[in-house]
Amino acid sequence: MVRNVIGSVLALAGAAAAVCSPFRAWFDGRQGIDYRIQDLFGGITDAQTEIMSSIVLPYAFAALVTLLGVVLRSRLLVALAGLVVLGFTVLWMVRQGQAAGYLSVGGGLPGLGDGVAAALGGGFLLLLAAVVMRGRAPRVVGFEEPDYDRGPVGPAGYAEDPAGYREDPAGYPPEGPAGYPPEETGPYPWAPGPNDTQRLPAYPPPPPYGSGPRQPRPDPYGAGPAQDPFRDDGRGP
């Protein structure tokens, strides 16, 4: 936020300096509004021109781009405005040097005025503002992870899974792929059919109460149920 404010102030100052520079002396006391835009491409002449057809036009365009960049907090637009100001200023210096045969500052000879310095300073301020500005913060779009259990919702409001099955949100069973109804396999798909000859083994029903009377177990040593397996036959009772 602070960087955007500082950059905006620098950009506005640079744009103001660039727009005001043509109204000051550029070379040998001649103001920038006395140079035509055509002179920048065809050579400097002594022809007079109006303000709207002078080199004020590109600097006014650069100021408009600067205002748009400050409002939108666009570093690209501010940098573009700075390049326009510097580009037209350097182009004028090249044409003026070709027409006069030299370019000087002071020294008793006709030289560059403070209007050129203001234009160059305004262009550098615009580039500096583009560097200082932070620009617009990236917008973070919230997203929600898809429901992997139900799948994405189709156009008809049904939840679709990757296999192509659709589930009704009202709780009805899912349909088959591409809208086909599910196969009818009966309540018990594992039950034998009516013509199946295989029969399950029959077991006797359990007693109604308990497990019945206890039966004596056979003696593994050969004693009967009425004999004591530990009795010695050689001794009396």
Side-chain angles (χ1 to χ4, degrees):
M1 182 64 181
V2 177
R3 292 180 56 182
N4 286 332
V5 173
I6 297 176
S8 300
V9 172
L10 293 176
L12 294 177
V19 172
C20 295
S21 62
F23 296 95
R24 305 180 68 88
W26 277 52
F27 186 81
D28 195 16
R30 186 179 180 183
Q31 295 183 352
I33 58 177
D34 296 331
Y35 295 94
R36 302 180 303 173
I37 296 181
Q38 296 86 337
D39 296 344
L40 301 179
F41 304 97
I44 301 297
T45 63
D46 296 334
Q48 299 295 325
T49 182
E50 297 180 355
I51 295 179
M52 296 305 300
S53 59
S54 65
I55 61 175
V56 176
L57 188 60
Y59 295 106
F61 172 76
L64 181 61
V65 173
T66 302
L67 291 177
L68 186 61
V70 170
V71 172
L72 299 179
R73 290 181 293 179
S74 174
R75 302 173 59 185
L76 181 61
L77 292 178
V78 176
L80 177 62
L83 293 178
V84 169
V85 173
L86 291 178
F88 276 92
T89 305
V90 172
L91 181 60
W92 175 89
M93 294 174 65
V94 172
R95 293 303 183 184
Q96 182 62 45
Q98 293 176 351
Y102 67 95
L103 286 177
S104 64
V105 179
L109 297 175
L112 301 177
D114 54 357
V116 180
L120 293 175
F124 283 115
L125 280 178
L126 289 172
L127 294 181
L128 180 61
V131 174
V132 173
M133 290 180 65
R134 187 176 182 179
R136 303 183 64 178
R139 181 179 299 178
V140 179
V141 180
F143 65 94
E144 183 178 357
E145 294 184 358
D147 191 354
Y148 294 100
D149 296 334
R150 295 178 58 87
V153 179
Y158 298 97
E160 300 180 357
D161 60 0
Y165 291 87
R166 297 183 301 177
E167 182 179 353
D168 192 349
Y172 294 100
E175 297 180 356
Y180 290 99
E183 299 181 1
E184 296 183 0
T185 57
Y188 304 102
W190 49 267
N195 298 327
D196 194 354
T197 58
Q198 183 179 3
R199 294 292 183 266
L200 299 177
Y203 295 97
Y209 300 101
S211 58
R214 298 183 62 183
Q215 300 294 334
R217 293 182 298 176
D219 186 11
Y221 299 98
Q227 298 179 0
D228 187 1
F230 299 100
R231 186 182 64 178
D232 190 358
D233 296 335
R235 299 176 58 183

